Amino acid sequence: MAEVKRLTIPDLYAMRERGEKITFLTAYDYPMALLEDRAGVDLILVGDSVAMTVLGYDTTLPMTMDEMILFTKAVRRAAKRAFVIGDLPYMSYQASNEEAVHNAGRFMAECGTDAVKLEGGRRMAERVEAIVRAGIPVMGHIGLTPQSYTQLGGYRAQGRDAATARALIDDALALQEAGAFAILLECIPAKVAEIIYDKLEILVLSLGSGPKADGQMMIVHDMLGLFERFTPKFVKRYVNLSEQILGAFKAFIEDTKQGRFPQPEHLYNIPEEEFKRLQELLKR
Ligand code: KIV
């Protein structure tokens, strides 16, 4: 089988040059990452949203670096072509440049990620600069940044008035200046995102921030109908897997209760002669 080449930052910029949109999804485990990679998804974020989508927490804040490492290793094992990004969890980078560099380095060295992502604009520019100086590519993330949901007043669109929109533009420019190779805009009005896009030279990815971007992102559990607690307006649901999985579970229960499972094709056989020998043995 031909060896698959892993995407690099120059490959991603080349996609933009030729007008090809970049596709970006979250993944947290081996089977999902395998399917995304096989389908041709370009970027995979092992997001700390795993706290809510998989582990059942109300927020992303409880995730630790060690837990993120476990999920990220599984995704990296599956993703042969996709560019994999480790999401720095709450309090793994906020306190100091040293901690930020150390934890970003853990993603690279222990998991083999291609880059890391962190939340925040101007106030995190110093951290981005320090991590980039250590040779680690960084994706910035502004707008609705879930680790600051209390400060932001909940999970809601950001930059809907002139002053906060202006602040987001300044944040984006500061991240570019700090050396980020890309920026993710989450839940920002499309017209504001368009201004940011026009002002930046680095790659711009949109999560609920309109079409003017180098690529589009979605949380995989949202698009597959696997996260039912709430569905943001910007989500396009491609399939309702919850319904299909529920159907499969109910069919299994029904089959078992009615004695329709297992059938002969699900059984292992012992050669007749061995079985006779066993019966002889049991007579002794
Ligand atoms: O953790 C995550 O999945 C994220 C996305 C919301 C961008 O940070």
Side-chain angles (χ1 to χ4, degrees):
M1 208 164 36
E3 202 177 309
V4 180
K5 185 184 170 293
R6 200 195 283 185
L7 287 175
T8 61
I9 292 175
D11 292 329
L12 299 172
Y13 274 83
M15 287 171 76
R16 172 164 80 180
E17 284 306 305
R18 53 177 189 269
E20 181 183 344
K21 292 280 187 188
I22 297 167
T23 53
F24 189 11
L25 289 177
T26 54
Y28 318 105
D29 59 30
Y30 184 86
M32 196 69 85
L34 206 60
L35 291 173
E36 290 181 15
D37 200 55
R38 198 183 296 164
V41 171
D42 304 307
L43 300 185
I44 297 180
L45 174 72
V46 190
D48 63 356
S49 53
V50 65
M52 298 169 76
T53 54
V54 173
L55 299 180
Y57 291 113
D58 287 337
T59 72
T60 59
L61 305 194
M63 286 311 287
T64 66
M65 199 56 213
D66 284 344
E67 289 166 334
M68 289 301 298
I69 292 274
L70 186 74
F71 290 108
T72 308
K73 279 182 172 175
V75 168
R76 177 75 281 173
R77 280 195 286 270
K80 302 291 180 237
R81 172 186 172 272
F83 188 95
V84 174
I85 302 169
D87 198 16
L88 284 162
Y90 183 59
M91 278 304 142
S92 67
Y93 60 97
Q94 285 91 341
S96 70
N97 286 353
E98 288 70 26
E99 276 195 59
V101 172
H102 172 73
N103 287 318
R106 285 194 65 191
F107 272 133
M108 303 296 282
E110 296 177 37
C111 311
T113 58
D114 300 297
V116 300
K117 176 177 87 56
L118 57 77
E119 299 182 7
R122 278 160 293 173
R123 64 201 164 87
M124 285 301 147
E126 190 192 331
R127 300 284 180 273
V128 172
E129 209 175 322
I131 299 171
V132 171
R133 216 181 305 122
I136 301 171
V138 179
M139 173 181 282
H141 176 182
I142 60 169
L144 199 187
T145 44
Q147 290 174 15
S148 315
Y149 79 101
T150 313
Q151 267 182 332
L152 300 179
Y155 298 108
R156 43 159 55 171
Q158 300 296 308
R160 299 182 82 175
D161 60 67
T164 55
R166 173 65 206 257
L168 286 172
I169 295 165
D170 290 343
D171 281 339
L173 288 166
L175 291 171
Q176 171 169 277
E177 181 68 25
F181 78 97
I183 186 167
L184 175 65
L185 307 181
E186 178 171 353
C187 251
I188 293 175
K191 282 183 173 172
V192 178
E194 190 167 339
I195 295 176
I196 295 175
Y197 182 79
D198 289 338
K199 283 185 179 292
L200 293 187
E201 284 166 18
I202 58 174
L203 297 173
V204 176
L205 286 310
S206 165
L207 172 59
S209 302
K212 196 79 187 287
D214 299 307
Q216 292 294 324
M217 187 206 191
M218 260 207 279
I219 307 285
V220 73
H221 283 58
D222 286 337
M223 67 170 290
L224 299 181
L226 282 172
F227 184 72
E228 295 182 311
R229 246 189 296 156
F230 58 87
T231 306
K233 174 185 169 153
F234 58 80
V235 168
K236 179 169 176 182
R237 189 174 274 185
Y238 284 83
V239 60
N240 191 343
L241 282 190
S242 289
E243 234 166 52
Q244 294 189 18
I245 292 171
L246 204 60
F249 291 160
K250 284 184 174 165
F252 164 69
I253 291 169
E254 198 53 22
D255 278 355
T256 302
K257 304 265 184 207
Q258 301 298 329
R260 291 192 300 257
F261 175 80
Q263 293 289 319
E265 66 267 28
H266 304 122
L267 310 182
Y268 293 100
N269 288 318
I270 177 168
E272 201 51 43
E273 179 182 310
E274 288 301 320
F275 192 62
K276 275 192 193 139
R277 203 171 291 159
L278 172 64
Q279 284 174 320
E280 287 307 317
L281 283 177
L282 292 176
K283 280 183 198 159
R284 285 182 208 157

